[in-house]
Amino acid sequence: MPFGYTGLGGLLILAGDIWAMLNISQARIGNGQKLLWILIVLFLPLFGLLLWFFLGPRGSAGRP
């Protein structure tokens, strides 16, 4: 069985990635860092989302 993002799990990951990219675009970091984070989230959807959530800069818009 091939591994892939399908069904409800895929929709949840897509929604999370969109959330992460919106937060990245509103974050108070340099444009180069924003581009790097967005590329990470795009090319590694689940892992990039988790990285942003745990390692992204604190104090960005929309984050506690």
Side-chain angles (χ1 to χ4, degrees), residues 7-43:
L8 183 59
L11 285 175
L12 291 173
I13 292 171
L14 177 63
D17 286 345
I18 291 170
W19 170 82
M21 286 189 270
L22 288 173
N23 278 297
I24 292 167
S25 68
Q26 296 172 357
R28 294 181 184 150
I29 57 176
N31 288 338
Q33 289 178 317
K34 286 181 185 183
L35 178 62
L36 179 62
W37 274 112
I38 287 175
L39 289 175
I40 289 171
V41 170
L42 281 175
F43 288 115

